[in-house]
Amino acid sequence: MRTWFEPDEDEEFEAAKALLVRRCLTWAGERRLPVEGVIVDAALESRHRSRDGRVCFWNARQVRRFLLEWIPHHVVASREVLDAAPDSLTTMFRYLAEAGLRDPRGATPAELEAAVDATAAEYPAVLDDPDRQSVATFWTRTALDHGVDLTDGKAVARFRRDVDAGRVDYDADLLDRLVMARFFESGPDEERAFPQPPVTLPPPAELTAAAARSEVVRQLVALADWTGSGGRALTGTGNLRLTDARELAALLGTGEQDLRARSAAELPKVGLLVAWAKAARLVRVSKGRLLRVAKAAPLLREPERLWSRAFESFFDLGAAIGASRSPLARLFDEIVDDALNSVYGMPAPMPVARLAEPILLACEDYLGFDDGVWREQVRQGLDSTFEALAALGAVELSHGLADELYSSDLDIDDHDLPPDARARLRARLAEPSPLVRLSPLGVRAVRDRLLAEGRDAPLVGELAGAAPAELLGMLAQHYPQEQAEEELRRWLAANGGSVEPLLDAVRACPFRSRAAALLDTLVRLHADGRAMLPRLRDDRVLGPIALTALVDAGTVRPEQLSPREQLSLMAEGLLNLLELGGPQQVVAQLAEVAGREASEIVAAVANSDHPADVAMAEFRSLVSVPARAPRHRLRMPDGHAPGSRGSRSRRGGRGRRRG
């Protein structure tokens, strides 16, 4: 069972969500913990429809988003159900942790409970604010207030006709406000971002030393010292006096001190560094003088902190980097952010030309530029951008032939770039050209920005303290082979070197499809993986999973199985199908494959000694018991199987979510 899905994997996500809701309600009921199915359903969907899509990744920010934004915007239920949301969320967090589903990169269960408690104080006022709902939620509530059964298509159609005919009373002023908010305000729905590949960073001491070697860090410190306590006079246009600018150029090593110039504005490197120091709040302008900021003195003595400040302030330097009227200056922060994100995690230096073409198209589309002058301005500005970032130590520049991965996709018909842009790229990539890659400092800085945006940006080594089940879950879904192998090696080194805790985690996993994925991940990544499966064939708990893998791989032939193993294999397959598709798919599959013998198969599986206690209990209650009911030989009414797709898995039917 997965906990991350592509945005268009609707059926797969709905099936997983139904299973999680079903299992969470059962688990909570056994422990008499408060929970409402509609709230759990909505919580899982809120994470799926987020920037990163990690259903089981939660932190304080996500708690606030769900309780203070998602519920009032999307969820329609009785006030009793809505009031129970904080307690239901806490119960869900406890279940995810116990089931081994929690993303270890998120907050701990204790931290999440504290976040729920802190947010709960604001929650009632948000529920009472009608302007927090969406337009769809408004009409859903209005329909329910008028007694419309939302499951009755004809009743809904009549309600729509009555609205169009003016026969339905509703708050028109509120609706107008909601419609305006829809166009001018961002709601809790987030556009899914591409997941980033795992990256590796050197030890912290190496990063600290690299920051201290940064040319820009040295220049910013020197500029602040040069400004002095008394400051430096500025001209009427806000520039340094030319004599001061030449002096500063010599001090900073820009090489501009001997240039023919009529004003400091004609010394662009000095101008950039002065603008950079202002943006980093190291110097300021007051009463016609450039002054040193006294509070920045401690920062000037800490190169690593100063480096981070300089990197973050760089996104505000568009006017200083390019021509002030160029499209690059107008879109600078977005362009630089996208460019660095594109370079992030790439295995080979990226050709600058590959970055330039999408930027040129974006400027053309959004700003309407249509002449060759601005194209050259953008190219020059992009070169200056990377030169400045290289001086900071955020990127590394080189010149040579680009790796073939940057041209291998240019022949795809549905490529994002138009044919003429691809033709230009092919020509440029066929010859040596400027290349760029992030430095280790740049990787760390870009990763920090990605995390601040709620993006998924794995770091090799960050799972060393994760619980075994959580580790395997992350490696199975988010790590390519090479990085996953390294992460597993680091985890084993930090946790005694034995695989037994990992095997125990697979044994304890209550989801059969997930347990199979976890074991497959361990076998695939561990040096002793190939020999592991045959040894596990006789393991009481792992045996059915290992046996399934051996048969699927052709290592064991079906005729070599004992009757007990055959039953175990059959049960494993049906339990997987139950989790992935719900009880109706199990019934349909058995009816199609086994015909009249389907009932006997259900009985044999239900009475078997398959070790998956949770899954077997669910099989007996959702498949075996209904199959034994009179006149219901393996038949279930559509939409009424608990936890099946189409069911909201809600408690008592008191709430439903509407988009």
Side-chain angles (χ1 to χ4, degrees):
M1 197 219 49
R2 296 152 54 198
T3 58
W4 186 88
F5 302 86
E6 294 284 358
D8 59 353
E9 291 185 299
D10 295 328
E11 289 189 9
E12 294 86 347
F13 169 67
E14 288 296 329
K17 182 176 66 169
L19 175 63
L20 272 174
V21 172
R22 192 167 74 221
R23 293 281 182 90
C24 183
L25 293 181
T26 300
W27 180 87
E30 293 169 350
R31 290 156 181 78
R32 299 193 177 187
L33 294 174
V35 69
E36 292 288 348
V38 68
I39 299 300
V40 177
D41 182 293
L44 299 174
E45 185 143 342
S46 77
R47 292 298 297 123
H48 174 60
R49 289 164 60 182
S50 68
R51 189 169 300 280
D52 61 308
R54 290 174 288 172
V55 172
C56 295
F57 176 91
W58 287 83
N59 56 23
R61 173 181 175 180
Q62 297 300 336
V63 168
R64 292 185 61 81
R65 172 177 175 259
F66 177 63
L67 289 178
L68 304 184
E69 298 178 42
W70 190 271
I71 286 182
H73 196 80
H74 283 300
V75 181
V76 178
S78 69
R79 185 57 184 247
E80 179 186 4
V81 169
L82 296 178
D83 285 340
D87 287 340
S88 294
L89 198 58
T90 295
T91 295
M92 187 191 77
F93 291 151
R94 293 176 182 176
Y95 172 70
L96 295 179
E98 181 162 317
L101 298 175
R102 186 185 75 93
D103 189 322
R105 298 168 296 178
T108 66
E111 291 168 341
L112 289 173
E113 292 191 26
V116 171
D117 291 342
T119 308
E122 305 173 52
Y123 180 60
V126 167
L127 287 183
D128 291 333
D129 184 356
D131 287 276
R132 298 280 189 136
Q133 64 187 312
S134 68
V135 173
T137 303
F138 170 87
W139 283 119
T140 301
R141 286 175 173 158
T142 302
L144 290 173
D145 290 343
H146 285 77
V148 177
D149 180 359
L150 297 179
T151 64
D152 185 341
K154 293 183 179 179
V156 172
R158 282 196 302 272
F159 172 73
R160 289 173 176 167
R161 290 195 296 270
D162 289 343
V163 169
D164 293 339
R167 294 190 291 268
V168 175
D169 293 329
Y170 60 88
D171 190 335
D173 291 336
L174 173 59
L175 179 60
D176 288 342
R177 295 198 303 272
L178 295 177
V179 170
M180 293 297 292
R182 179 179 179 180
F183 286 103
F184 295 106
E185 299 177 13
S186 59
D189 291 272
E190 298 173 344
E191 183 179 357
R192 180 71 68 85
F194 289 111
Q196 293 288 354
V199 297
T200 303
L201 288 175
E206 291 187 22
L207 295 173
T208 301
R213 293 193 301 269
S214 167
E215 178 67 7
V216 169
V217 166
R218 181 195 68 77
Q219 290 172 323
L220 291 177
V221 172
L223 190 155
D225 289 342
W226 174 84
T227 304
S229 58
R232 300 280 178 159
L234 300 175
T235 66
T237 56
N239 295 315
L240 289 172
R241 294 180 301 189
L242 184 57
T243 54
D244 284 343
R246 292 187 186 281
E247 178 185 338
L248 185 57
L251 175 66
L252 301 182
T254 69
E256 298 171 308
Q257 60 271 21
D258 297 324
L259 290 180
R260 287 180 173 272
R262 289 171 295 180
S263 74
E266 297 178 19
L267 306 182
K269 294 180 181 178
V270 168
L272 172 61
L273 287 166
V274 171
W276 209 334
K278 290 178 185 177
R281 302 188 302 281
L282 305 178
V283 298
R284 62 186 178 89
V285 174
S286 178
K287 298 180 180 179
R289 298 186 70 81
L290 185 68
L291 303 173
R292 184 171 59 193
V293 175
K295 291 183 179 179
L299 185 66
L300 296 172
R301 296 191 293 271
E302 299 182 43
E304 196 166 10
R305 285 184 57 217
L306 178 56
W307 191 98
S308 296
R309 175 79 67 85
F311 178 80
E312 286 301 321
S313 60
F314 181 77
F315 295 85
D316 299 324
L317 299 179
I321 288 286
S324 60
R325 295 183 180 180
S326 77
L328 182 68
R330 295 171 63 177
L331 298 174
F332 186 75
D333 58 337
E334 297 178 35
I335 286 173
V336 174
D337 193 55
D338 288 345
L340 294 179
N341 288 351
S342 298
V343 179
Y344 181 87
M346 297 304 291
M350 178 174 283
V352 175
R354 186 68 198 246
L355 295 168
E357 283 299 333
I359 290 172
L360 291 169
L361 289 173
C363 293
E364 186 175 307
D365 290 344
Y366 292 111
L367 299 178
F369 288 87
D370 58 1
D371 60 65
V373 175
W374 69 266
R375 285 180 175 272
E376 188 57 32
Q377 288 178 341
V378 169
R379 289 194 178 97
Q380 291 177 356
L382 195 59
D383 289 341
S384 298
T385 296
F386 285 124
E387 289 170 3
L389 287 170
L392 176 63
V395 303
E396 299 167 354
L397 298 178
S398 58
H399 195 275
L401 282 173
D403 189 285
E404 64 178 11
L405 76 91
Y406 296 112
S407 56
S408 60
D409 66 330
L410 293 179
D411 293 326
I412 299 175
D413 292 336
D414 60 348
H415 199 284
D416 292 337
L417 294 176
D420 59 334
R422 281 183 276 163
R424 287 193 298 268
L425 263 181
R426 287 191 196 94
R428 291 181 182 177
L429 298 183
E431 299 177 352
S433 64
L435 307 173
V436 61
R437 75 185 309 162
L438 289 175
S439 69
L441 276 173
V443 170
R444 184 178 68 176
V446 174
R447 179 173 182 267
D448 287 344
R449 287 177 65 86
L450 292 170
L451 293 176
E453 295 170 4
R455 303 267 306 261
D456 182 10
L459 175 65
V460 174
E462 68 178 334
L463 300 178
E470 296 169 352
L471 168 78
L472 291 175
M474 293 300 100
L475 299 185
Q477 294 187 101
H478 301 289
Y479 282 68
Q481 181 77 17
E482 182 180 349
Q483 291 89 343
E485 289 177 356
E486 176 62 22
E487 192 70 56
L488 179 60
R489 281 194 294 268
R490 295 192 185 199
W491 189 93
L492 289 170
N495 293 273
S498 173
V499 298
E500 281 306 313
L502 299 170
L503 290 173
D504 285 341
V506 182
R507 292 184 180 99
C509 180
F511 300 93
R512 302 313 293 169
S513 55
R514 186 175 181 85
L518 299 187
L519 183 59
D520 175 73
T521 298
L522 181 57
V523 168
R524 176 170 50 86
L525 300 178
H526 194 268
D528 190 37
R530 289 188 176 182
M532 197 177 294
L533 280 179
R535 294 199 302 265
L536 295 175
R537 179 174 176 175
D538 296 326
D539 186 285
R540 184 189 177 280
V541 178
L542 297 180
I545 303 174
L547 191 60
T548 300
L550 291 168
V551 171
D552 288 344
T555 306
V556 174
R557 297 192 302 274
E559 61 268 21
Q560 295 176 312
L561 301 178
S562 67
R564 182 178 177 277
E565 287 178 325
Q566 290 176 352
L567 180 58
S568 177
L569 202 64
M570 187 189 319
E572 187 67 25
L574 291 176
L575 295 180
N576 270 275
L577 183 59
L578 176 60
E579 290 183 355
L580 297 174
Q584 287 183 327
Q585 280 206 18
V586 174
V587 170
Q589 182 78 4
L590 282 172
E592 178 181 347
V593 174
R596 295 181 178 180
E597 297 178 0
S599 297
E600 287 72 17
I601 292 175
V602 169
V605 170
N607 294 324
S608 71
D609 62 349
H610 193 285
D613 294 337
V614 173
M616 284 297 295
E618 195 170 68
F619 180 85
R620 293 181 182 112
S621 65
L622 298 182
V623 179
S624 179
V625 171
R628 293 198 306 268
R631 300 181 183 177
H632 289 85
R633 289 180 58 83
L634 291 177
R635 294 173 57 191
M636 294 182 183
D638 290 341
H640 292 283
S644 64
R645 282 186 298 205
S647 167
R648 284 292 173 187
S649 302
R650 62 184 183 274
R651 211 183 208 188
R654 293 179 291 172
R656 67 182 70 237
R657 193 197 63 76
R658 285 290 179 266

